[in-house]
Amino acid sequence: MKRLLICGLVAASLSACAVVPVAAPAGPFETEGDFSVMLQKDWSRWPSQINPATNGEFLTQDGVLLNRVHLVSIPDSEGLVRARRNVEMPLYTAGSSEFEIVEFITSSLEMIGYSDVEADLIRPAEFDGVDGLRFGLTGIWQNGMRVKGEAATIAHDDRLDLVLFMAPELHYYDAVAPEVEAIMNSIDLPD
C-alpha cells in the first residue's frame, strides 16, 4: 500500500510538470519572445516546450495543423527551426537584408515540411515605431494541402522578432486572417 501511495505521488508530480496547451485570453499577451501583442479574442497557446520542430510558441484557433500564429524572437546566429544533429539549418544573421530575411523564413518553412514556399507582397512596415517587413507566403504542406501565410518581421537589437501565420488556403486562412492582421498591427516592443 505504501509503495502504491509513493508511485501515485510520483506520477502526480510528473503530470503536474507536463507542459500542455493553455488558454490565451483576449487582451494584452506577453509572448515568450521580446515583444507583446494584443489579442482580440481567446486563443489556444502552445508553449515552445511542446513545439518539436521550431523555436517559439504558437497561438491557434482550430489546432496547429489548421492555423497557427508563431511568435518568436530569434537572436543573431540562431534559427527558427530547432537544431538537428548533422543537418545544416537556416540561421538568422543580424544585419541581414530584406531579401535575406525573406529567404531565411522560406528556407526555415521548407525545413519543417512545407514545399514550394514562395513569398509575395513584400513591403516595408512599421511596428511600434520601428521599421520592419511584411510579406505573404504560399506553399504546400507535406500532406499536399495548399497553404497561405503572412509574416511580420522586425530586425533590431541583434535579433529578429517574428509573427508568422500559416493556414490551409481553403477556409482557415480567410477565417483567421483579420484577427492575425490585428495581432501584427499590435506588436509592442520593449522600450
Side-chain angles (χ1 to χ4, degrees), residues 73-122:
S73 294
I74 304 167
D76 181 40
S77 301
E78 292 194 23
L80 173 61
V81 178
R82 290 194 188 269
R84 298 181 205 155
R85 192 177 329 205
N86 300 324
V87 178
E88 189 173 328
M89 297 294 169
L91 300 176
Y92 169 70
T93 304
S96 292
S97 69
E98 292 175 348
F99 173 79
E100 290 167 326
I101 290 171
V102 170
E103 179 66 24
F104 166 69
I105 301 299
T106 57
S107 297
S108 296
L109 289 171
E110 290 183 346
M111 293 291 300
I112 60 168
Y114 294 93
S115 61
D116 301 325
V117 178
E118 293 185 17
D120 61 9
L121 303 173
I122 301 167

Coordinates of all heavy atoms in Angstrom, one line a residue, residues 73-122:
S73 N 11.2 35.5 -30.9 CA 12.4 36.4 -31.1 C 13.6 35.5 -31.3 O 13.9 34.6 -30.5 CB 12.6 37.2 -29.9 OG 11.5 38.1 -29.7
I74 N 14.3 35.7 -32.5 CA 15.4 34.9 -32.9 C 16.7 35.7 -32.8 O 16.9 36.6 -33.5 CB 15.2 34.4 -34.3 CG1 13.9 33.6 -34.5 CG2 16.4 33.5 -34.7 CD1 13.4 33.4 -35.9
P75 N 17.6 35.3 -31.8 CA 18.8 36.0 -31.7 C 19.8 35.8 -32.9 O 19.6 34.8 -33.6 CB 19.5 35.4 -30.4 CG 18.3 34.7 -29.7 CD 17.4 34.3 -30.8
D76 N 20.7 36.7 -33.0 CA 21.7 36.6 -34.1 C 22.4 35.2 -34.0 O 22.7 34.6 -32.9 CB 22.8 37.6 -33.8 CG 23.9 37.6 -34.9 OD1 23.6 37.4 -36.0 OD2 25.1 37.8 -34.5
S77 N 22.6 34.6 -35.2 CA 23.2 33.3 -35.3 C 22.4 32.1 -34.8 O 23.0 31.0 -34.5 CB 24.6 33.3 -34.7 OG 25.4 34.3 -35.3
E78 N 21.1 32.3 -34.6 CA 20.2 31.2 -34.3 C 19.2 31.0 -35.3 O 19.0 31.8 -36.2 CB 19.6 31.4 -32.9 CG 20.7 31.3 -31.8 CD 20.2 31.2 -30.4 OE1 19.0 30.8 -30.2 OE2 20.9 31.6 -29.5
G79 N 18.4 30.0 -35.2 CA 17.4 29.7 -36.2 C 16.0 29.6 -35.7 O 15.7 29.5 -34.5
L80 N 15.0 29.6 -36.7 CA 13.6 29.4 -36.4 C 13.4 27.9 -36.1 O 12.7 27.5 -35.2 CB 12.8 29.9 -37.5 CG 11.3 29.6 -37.5 CD1 10.6 30.2 -36.2 CD2 10.6 30.0 -38.7
V81 N 14.1 27.1 -36.9 CA 14.0 25.6 -36.8 C 14.9 25.1 -35.7 O 16.0 25.6 -35.6 CB 14.4 24.9 -38.2 CG1 14.3 23.4 -38.1 CG2 13.5 25.5 -39.3
R82 N 14.4 24.2 -34.9 CA 15.2 23.6 -33.8 C 16.4 22.9 -34.5 O 16.3 22.2 -35.5 CB 14.4 22.7 -33.0 CG 13.4 23.4 -32.1 CD 12.9 22.5 -31.0 NE 11.8 23.1 -30.3 CZ 11.9 23.9 -29.2 NH1 13.1 24.1 -28.7 NH2 10.8 24.4 -28.6
A83 N 17.6 23.0 -33.8 CA 18.8 22.4 -34.3 C 18.6 20.9 -34.4 O 18.0 20.3 -33.5 CB 20.0 22.8 -33.5
R84 N 19.1 20.3 -35.4 CA 19.2 18.8 -35.6 C 20.6 18.4 -35.8 O 21.3 19.1 -36.5 CB 18.3 18.4 -36.7 CG 16.9 18.7 -36.6 CD 16.1 18.2 -37.8 NE 14.9 19.0 -37.9 CZ 14.2 19.2 -39.1 NH1 14.7 18.6 -40.2 NH2 13.2 19.9 -39.1
R85 N 20.9 17.2 -35.3 CA 22.3 16.8 -35.5 C 22.6 16.5 -36.9 O 21.8 15.9 -37.6 CB 22.5 15.5 -34.6 CG 23.9 15.0 -34.5 CD 24.0 13.8 -33.7 NE 23.0 13.8 -32.7 CZ 23.0 13.2 -31.5 NH1 24.1 12.5 -31.2 NH2 22.0 13.2 -30.7
N86 N 23.7 17.0 -37.4 CA 24.3 16.7 -38.7 C 23.4 17.3 -39.8 O 23.4 16.8 -41.0 CB 24.5 15.2 -39.0 CG 25.5 14.7 -38.0 OD1 26.5 15.3 -37.6 ND2 25.3 13.4 -37.6
V87 N 22.5 18.3 -39.5 CA 21.7 18.9 -40.5 C 22.0 20.4 -40.4 O 21.8 21.0 -39.4 CB 20.2 18.7 -40.3 CG1 19.4 19.4 -41.3 CG2 19.9 17.2 -40.3
E88 N 22.3 21.0 -41.6 CA 22.6 22.5 -41.6 C 21.3 23.2 -41.6 O 20.4 23.0 -42.5 CB 23.4 22.8 -42.8 CG 23.9 24.3 -42.8 CD 24.9 24.5 -43.9 OE1 25.6 23.6 -44.3 OE2 24.9 25.7 -44.4
M89 N 21.0 24.1 -40.7 CA 19.8 24.8 -40.5 C 20.0 26.3 -41.0 O 21.1 26.8 -40.8 CB 19.3 24.8 -39.1 CG 19.0 23.5 -38.5 SD 17.6 22.8 -39.3 CE 17.7 21.2 -38.7
P90 N 18.9 26.9 -41.5 CA 19.0 28.3 -41.8 C 19.1 29.1 -40.5 O 18.5 28.8 -39.5 CB 17.6 28.6 -42.5 CG 17.0 27.3 -42.8 CD 17.6 26.3 -41.9
L91 N 20.0 30.0 -40.5 CA 20.3 30.9 -39.3 C 20.0 32.3 -39.6 O 20.3 32.8 -40.7 CB 21.7 30.7 -38.8 CG 22.1 29.3 -38.4 CD1 23.6 29.3 -38.0 CD2 21.3 28.8 -37.3
Y92 N 19.5 33.0 -38.7 CA 19.3 34.5 -38.8 C 20.6 35.1 -38.5 O 21.3 34.8 -37.6 CB 18.2 35.0 -37.8 CG 18.2 36.5 -37.8 CD1 17.8 37.3 -38.9 CD2 18.7 37.2 -36.7 CE1 17.8 38.6 -38.8 CE2 18.7 38.6 -36.6 CZ 18.3 39.3 -37.7 OH 18.3 40.6 -37.7
T93 N 21.0 36.1 -39.3 CA 22.2 36.9 -39.1 C 21.8 38.4 -38.9 O 21.1 38.9 -39.8 CB 23.2 36.8 -40.3 OG1 23.4 35.4 -40.5 CG2 24.5 37.5 -40.0
A94 N 22.2 39.0 -37.8 CA 22.0 40.4 -37.6 C 22.5 41.2 -38.7 O 23.6 40.9 -39.2 CB 22.6 40.9 -36.3
G95 N 21.8 42.2 -39.2 CA 22.2 43.0 -40.3 C 21.8 42.4 -41.7 O 22.2 42.9 -42.7
S96 N 21.0 41.3 -41.7 CA 20.5 40.7 -42.9 C 19.7 41.7 -43.7 O 19.0 42.6 -43.2 CB 19.7 39.5 -42.6 OG 20.4 38.5 -42.1
S97 N 19.8 41.6 -45.0 CA 19.0 42.5 -45.9 C 17.5 41.9 -45.9 O 17.3 40.8 -45.4 CB 19.5 42.4 -47.3 OG 19.3 41.1 -47.9
E98 N 16.6 42.7 -46.4 CA 15.2 42.3 -46.5 C 15.1 41.0 -47.3 O 14.4 40.0 -46.9 CB 14.3 43.3 -47.1 CG 14.2 44.6 -46.2 CD 13.5 45.7 -46.8 OE1 13.2 45.7 -48.1 OE2 13.1 46.6 -46.1
F99 N 15.9 40.9 -48.4 CA 15.9 39.6 -49.2 C 16.3 38.5 -48.4 O 15.8 37.4 -48.4 CB 16.8 39.8 -50.4 CG 16.9 38.6 -51.2 CD1 16.0 38.1 -52.1 CD2 18.1 37.8 -51.1 CE1 16.1 36.9 -52.8 CE2 18.3 36.6 -51.8 CZ 17.3 36.2 -52.6
E100 N 17.4 38.6 -47.6 CA 17.9 37.6 -46.8 C 17.0 37.1 -45.7 O 16.9 36.0 -45.3 CB 19.3 38.0 -46.2 CG 20.4 38.1 -47.2 CD 21.6 38.8 -46.7 OE1 21.5 39.7 -45.8 OE2 22.7 38.4 -47.1
I101 N 16.2 38.1 -45.1 CA 15.2 37.7 -44.1 C 14.1 36.9 -44.7 O 13.7 35.9 -44.2 CB 14.6 39.0 -43.4 CG1 15.7 39.6 -42.5 CG2 13.4 38.7 -42.6 CD1 15.4 41.0 -42.0
V102 N 13.6 37.3 -45.9 CA 12.6 36.5 -46.6 C 13.1 35.1 -46.9 O 12.4 34.1 -46.6 CB 12.1 37.2 -47.9 CG1 11.2 36.3 -48.7 CG2 11.4 38.5 -47.5
E103 N 14.3 35.0 -47.4 CA 14.9 33.7 -47.7 C 15.1 32.9 -46.4 O 14.8 31.7 -46.4 CB 16.3 33.9 -48.4 CG 17.0 32.6 -48.7 CD 16.4 31.8 -49.7 OE1 15.6 32.3 -50.6 OE2 16.6 30.6 -49.7
F104 N 15.5 33.5 -45.3 CA 15.6 32.8 -44.0 C 14.2 32.2 -43.6 O 14.2 31.0 -43.3 CB 16.1 33.7 -43.0 CG 16.0 33.2 -41.6 CD1 16.7 32.2 -41.1 CD2 15.0 33.8 -40.7 CE1 16.6 31.7 -39.8 CE2 14.9 33.3 -39.4 CZ 15.7 32.3 -38.9
I105 N 13.2 32.9 -43.7 CA 11.8 32.4 -43.4 C 11.4 31.3 -44.3 O 10.9 30.2 -43.9 CB 10.8 33.5 -43.3 CG1 11.2 34.6 -42.4 CG2 9.4 33.0 -43.0 CD1 11.3 34.2 -40.9
T106 N 11.5 31.5 -45.6 CA 11.0 30.5 -46.6 C 11.8 29.2 -46.5 O 11.3 28.1 -46.5 CB 11.0 31.0 -48.0 OG1 12.3 31.5 -48.4 CG2 10.0 32.1 -48.2
S107 N 13.2 29.3 -46.3 CA 14.0 28.2 -46.1 C 13.7 27.4 -44.8 O 13.7 26.2 -44.8 CB 15.5 28.6 -46.1 OG 15.9 29.1 -47.3
S108 N 13.4 28.2 -43.8 CA 13.0 27.5 -42.5 C 11.7 26.7 -42.6 O 11.6 25.6 -42.1 CB 12.9 28.6 -41.4 OG 14.1 29.2 -41.2
L109 N 10.7 27.3 -43.3 CA 9.5 26.6 -43.5 C 9.7 25.3 -44.3 O 9.1 24.3 -44.0 CB 8.5 27.5 -44.2 CG 7.9 28.6 -43.3 CD1 7.1 29.6 -44.2 CD2 7.1 28.1 -42.2
E110 N 10.6 25.4 -45.3 CA 10.8 24.2 -46.1 C 11.5 23.1 -45.3 O 11.4 21.9 -45.5 CB 11.6 24.5 -47.4 CG 10.7 25.3 -48.3 CD 11.4 25.6 -49.7 OE1 12.6 25.5 -49.8 OE2 10.6 26.0 -50.6
M111 N 12.3 23.5 -44.2 CA 12.9 22.5 -43.4 C 11.9 21.8 -42.5 O 12.2 20.7 -42.0 CB 13.9 23.2 -42.5 CG 15.1 23.8 -43.2 SD 16.3 22.6 -43.9 CE 16.8 21.7 -42.4
I112 N 10.7 22.3 -42.3 CA 9.8 21.7 -41.4 C 8.6 21.0 -42.1 O 7.6 20.7 -41.4 CB 9.3 22.6 -40.2 CG1 8.6 23.9 -40.8 CG2 10.5 23.0 -39.4 CD1 7.9 24.7 -39.8
G113 N 8.7 20.9 -43.4 CA 7.6 20.1 -44.1 C 6.8 20.8 -45.1 O 6.0 20.2 -45.8
Y114 N 7.1 22.1 -45.3 CA 6.4 22.8 -46.4 C 7.2 22.7 -47.6 O 8.5 22.6 -47.6 CB 6.2 24.3 -46.0 CG 5.3 24.6 -44.9 CD1 5.7 24.7 -43.6 CD2 3.9 24.7 -45.1 CE1 4.9 24.9 -42.5 CE2 3.0 24.9 -44.0 CZ 3.5 25.0 -42.7 OH 2.7 25.3 -41.7
S115 N 6.6 22.7 -48.8 CA 7.4 22.7 -50.1 C 6.8 23.8 -51.0 O 5.8 24.4 -50.7 CB 7.2 21.4 -50.8 OG 5.9 21.1 -51.1
D116 N 7.6 24.2 -52.0 CA 7.3 25.2 -52.9 C 6.9 26.5 -52.2 O 6.0 27.2 -52.7 CB 6.2 24.8 -53.9 CG 6.5 23.5 -54.7 OD1 7.7 23.4 -55.0 OD2 5.6 22.7 -54.9
V117 N 7.6 26.9 -51.1 CA 7.3 28.1 -50.4 C 7.8 29.3 -51.2 O 8.9 29.4 -51.6 CB 7.9 28.1 -49.0 CG1 7.6 29.3 -48.2 CG2 7.5 26.8 -48.2
E118 N 6.8 30.2 -51.4 CA 7.2 31.5 -52.1 C 6.6 32.6 -51.3 O 5.6 32.5 -50.6 CB 6.5 31.5 -53.5 CG 7.1 30.4 -54.4 CD 6.6 30.5 -55.8 OE1 6.0 31.6 -56.2 OE2 6.8 29.5 -56.5
A119 N 7.4 33.7 -51.3 CA 6.9 35.0 -50.7 C 6.4 35.9 -51.7 O 6.9 35.9 -52.9 CB 8.1 35.6 -49.9
D120 N 5.4 36.7 -51.3 CA 4.9 37.7 -52.2 C 4.4 38.9 -51.4 O 4.5 38.9 -50.2 CB 3.7 37.2 -53.1 CG 2.5 36.7 -52.2 OD1 2.5 36.9 -51.0 OD2 1.6 36.1 -52.8
L121 N 4.1 40.0 -52.1 CA 3.6 41.2 -51.5 C 4.6 41.7 -50.4 O 4.3 42.1 -49.3 CB 2.2 41.1 -50.9 CG 1.1 40.6 -51.8 CD1 -0.1 40.4 -51.1 CD2 0.9 41.7 -52.9
I122 N 5.9 41.6 -50.7 CA 7.0 42.0 -49.8 C 6.9 43.6 -49.7 O 7.0 44.3 -50.7 CB 8.3 41.5 -50.3 CG1 8.3 40.0 -50.4 CG2 9.4 42.0 -49.4 CD1 9.5 39.4 -51.1

